[in-house]
Amino acid sequence: MKQVIRTLFIIVLAAAMWVAGCRKDGPSGAGEVVVYVSEDQVFSEPILKDFESQTGIKVKAVYDTEETKSTGVMMRLISEKNNPLADVFWANEPIRAEALKQKGIAAPYKSPNALEIPDIHKDPEYYWTGFSARARVFVVNKKAENKPNSILAYTDPRWKGKGVIANPLFGTTTVEIAALFTLWGDARAKAFMEDMKKNDVGISTSNGESTDFVASGQYEFSLVDSDDAVSRIRQGKSIEMVYPDQGENDSGCLIVPNAVVLINGARHPDNARKLIDYLLSKETERKLAFADCAQIPLHPGVETPSEVKPIEEIKAMNINYGQVAGKMEEIQQYLKQWVGY
Amino acid sequence: MARRAVLIFAAAVLAAIGLLPLLVMFLQSVTVDGHLSLVAYKDVLTSRTQWVLLKHSLVLSSLTALLATVVGMFLGILLAKTDLPFRRFFAVLFTVPLLVPPYITAVSWSLLLGREGFLARFLSSSAAEVTSGLLFDLSGCVLVLFSTFLPVVMLLTMTFLKTINPRLEEAGKLTSGWLGVLKGITVPLILPGVLLASILVFLLTLGEFGVPAFLRYDVFPVETFTQFAAFYDFGAATAAAVPLAVITFLVLVVERIFLRKKTYEVKLASAGDGPLVIRLGRIRSRCLVFVCALCFFIVILPVLVLVLQSMSFDAYVQAITRGGDSLLGSLLYAVVGASALSVLGFLCGYLIHTKALSFWQSLDSMTIFLFALPSTLIGIGLVLLWNRPSTNFIYATPVIIIFGYIARYTVLTSRITASALTQIPPSMEEAARIAGARWFRRTALIVAPLARRGLLAGWLVGYIFCLRDTGISMMVYPPGHDTFPVRIFTLMANGSADFIAALCVIMIVAALLPLGLLVILFKSRRFV
């Protein structure tokens, strides 16, 4: 018994020393960078590991989960405003980056690797920079008789009860709705939302679920992120991908780039800039294009797989992400009511 | 004097780690720009959705508790009181789901019943729709949480059966058969323990976040988390959690009034009074079939599905490569957490057992209250309290995770200690006291060694619960120190099914190792 207790005591002591020792390796140490990531860990971690092996800089990451609707790290960043632990925020869309700018949590940084990225995908004051985008596309069941090619299909009686959309309170669907509000104005956008309801549009919990609903035939089409569509197509699902509103007089489809942000008061600013430069490189964009997330490079001329349409060939919605971020906050109450909260 | 000081210190540490964060949260929820405001509460109370979610939570908790109570009590009696073969083996097997994070069981069922699950390969697409629809709904949540919390009722039933004086049942047998004895004597005697277990299952289900979130069934804890994570609104998150806290509090008040005196300590019948065994006779084989079928359905099948799904060398290589560091971290946090819980639980259990301080009942209630609260709520409180530059030695290190474990799980070790101390004759410590031994000496040389089996069991239970924790760790883990269950959660988004299944299998093995150790140690004579 005594021997067992002694052994247990030694194990506990060693473990306690290890836990206590973690403080020395913590955010105040050198040779490391702390990054909060809302891009899926499956896709982002390999990129961060590559950065680690190429630079020798230790990456300490906090990842989001699907269950937190990819907003958990955002919550942490806001609550840590006066005590920042993060150096870099890798957001999976630019609106949160914009929100951080407006809350004074972001710091400006003009990366030399971002010169060729189109201005529309960058903050004019360099508080955030976009890279590797997703497009908001339709997934359409292959058996559907009528294939929609405009977002207005959601309100068209021909597709009554046949469309589904992810809960607009979360994720890229919120961005899409807010973008429509800035593009069309409040009156038309609200009318569109109400017409969607009248047209019996289904509401799912996520874009992934919407895609699965369409693949299984439960609904005929849904507006989702291009990575959800490509991953299901690669799995052999019975769906096809349609870029909506690509006609000459159409508004184009929404492009949602990742965004990288330098955190105000970062404890490792030099390493943070190195990581940002790395994320904004053509090589990172190429890797993310060939990964299962199939993201669209924003640098011109980056090699892509066949399913990923180059950015030059997509008619993109002409929006200002700063305005969209402001509108998102403004319409939150309306969206809550719309969903029934 | 030393005893009083140490016990007060232990209670103060627990209050600082567990209650203070909740107090800070509450204050923040009633303050807007430095002024008193109840707007967050008004929003919660006037929203129809909140009441619908509350109804969902109550329905889910009630159904799970009811099912777990009926089946768990029956199973507990079968395994503790009859001549059913392989009783201990079944008792260990049925405990397995409690040892792994419940969402892993949910993942397993989704691999089996989901739209593209194993079963869908043999069913028509419409039938697969039905099975998937049933899983991703209330029924799926009840199934997963029932199998997770069934062992709580089963084990407590088995424990309370050991407290019955067999002479009472012998007397009953003179005038009645076993059915009458069970109905008139045995069940009424264990009823307080069964009801306690039932209440625990109800509260644990009420606070569960991971399973309803995964199975897309909207309940109150998910709403709390959404308010916090999606709208960054601390006040609204706290306000949204208040109804759950109030229900938890009320249920515990009821438990205190009706059950506490009968259940807070378990005194086993003396060793000489072996329990009376029910000979099942003709129904023995039928009972065995029932237990085998139930065991296969809720224990073996989910594990089997994960193993089959992960049958690829690459999946395991990938799982070890991408999860190995967090697994190691989790094991270490669980060791440290279990040890801290053992020390604090021993002191709290000692205080509760000896009633050494006037607030022993409040301390006992506080530990249960913290255990029953949604883990997301405790997580938010910890972030609010410790997230400041002067306390980064806690917030920015794994110490914050250990604090979370202490806040949530001290009840386990304190209750186990209190029960272990009940088995020790008070005369032992009294004799040492009369002989002039001081409290520290008496505790270290008499009380602790005599309660060693209970303390070891407490440590292992603490270890298992720390290792499987997801809710608190997910909210507070510092950069680079995610735990293994959290790593599985974050890799789940778009991770391949075989890779996720391999991670889950590794998690199950890590959780089961200490159970094996427990069985071996308790069989060892040196620990008797």
Side-chain angles (χ1 to χ4, degrees), chain B residues 45-358:
Chain B
L45 294 172
T46 53
S47 162
R48 200 184 72 85
T49 311
Q50 308 286 340
W51 295 105
V52 172
L53 292 176
L54 190 60
K55 192 180 113 191
H56 282 191
S57 280
L58 290 173
V59 169
L60 173 63
S61 305
S62 305
L63 284 176
T64 307
L66 185 69
L67 203 58
T69 304
V70 173
V71 181
M73 188 171 77
F74 179 64
L75 207 54
I77 293 172
L78 267 184
L79 298 182
K81 214 152 173 60
T82 68
D83 60 347
L84 191 85
F86 315 116
R87 293 188 306 279
R88 284 186 184 176
F89 175 69
F90 281 124
V92 171
L93 268 187
F94 276 112
T95 310
V96 170
L98 184 65
L99 308 183
V100 296
Y103 75 82
I104 285 185
T105 312
V107 170
S108 170
W109 279 107
S110 73
L111 290 172
L112 182 68
L113 299 178
R115 270 190 208 93
E116 288 145 18
F118 281 107
L119 214 56
R121 294 174 199 171
F122 307 102
L123 298 173
S124 65
S125 62
S126 56
E129 279 299 323
V130 172
T131 59
S132 173
L134 285 171
L135 179 67
F136 286 88
D137 201 354
L138 171 68
S139 44
C141 290
V142 172
L143 170 68
V144 172
L145 293 172
F146 156 72
S147 60
T148 300
F149 297 131
L150 175 71
V152 174
V153 184
M154 182 195 78
L155 292 173
L156 276 175
T157 301
M158 291 170 76
T159 306
F160 276 84
L161 281 171
K162 287 183 184 168
T163 66
I164 296 175
N165 186 340
R167 289 191 186 94
L168 293 172
E169 291 175 326
E170 274 170 2
K173 284 271 287 170
L174 294 175
T175 58
S176 169
W178 260 117
L179 213 56
V181 172
L182 281 174
K183 199 175 153 192
I185 297 173
T186 314
V187 172
L189 282 173
I190 62 165
L191 205 56
V194 174
L195 288 177
L196 172 72
S198 186
I199 285 172
L200 271 179
V201 173
F202 179 87
L203 292 176
L204 287 170
T205 308
L206 196 67
E208 175 61 30
F209 163 75
V211 172
F214 181 79
L215 295 178
R216 297 159 195 164
Y217 183 67
D218 284 340
V219 289
F220 227 82
V222 179
E223 164 65 12
T224 312
F225 198 86
T226 303
Q227 288 289 349
F228 185 55
F231 306 127
Y232 326 128
D233 193 337
F234 289 87
T238 312
V242 160
L244 279 192
V246 170
I247 292 170
T248 304
F249 183 74
L250 289 177
V251 170
L252 290 177
V253 167
V254 171
E255 190 257 352
R256 169 165 295 284
I257 292 169
F258 294 105
L259 299 176
R260 187 60 57 90
K261 282 183 184 168
K262 296 169 186 169
T263 58
Y264 83 90
E265 286 178 339
V266 178
K267 191 162 177 64
L268 301 180
S270 63
D273 304 327
L276 285 192
V277 175
I278 303 172
R279 307 273 166 213
L280 291 171
R282 281 180 305 169
I283 60 164
R284 193 169 179 238
S285 52
R286 266 181 272 173
C287 287
L288 184 62
V289 169
F290 166 75
V291 172
C292 283
L294 186 67
C295 189
F296 177 77
F297 186 65
I298 66 172
V299 182
I300 294 171
L301 189 60
V303 177
L304 198 65
V305 167
L306 288 172
V307 172
L308 287 175
Q309 181 69 55
S310 65
M311 280 293 199
S312 127
F313 182 69
D314 282 352
Y316 280 95
V317 169
Q318 207 188 348
I320 296 288
T321 312
R322 298 191 72 170
D325 57 333
S326 67
L327 177 62
L328 189 65
S330 268
L331 294 172
L332 285 164
Y333 305 149
V335 166
V336 176
S339 306
L341 285 171
S342 293
V343 174
L344 206 58
F346 176 80
L347 294 172
C348 292
Y350 183 89
L351 197 163
I352 291 163
H353 169 69
T354 57
K355 306 178 179 59
L357 297 169
S358 57

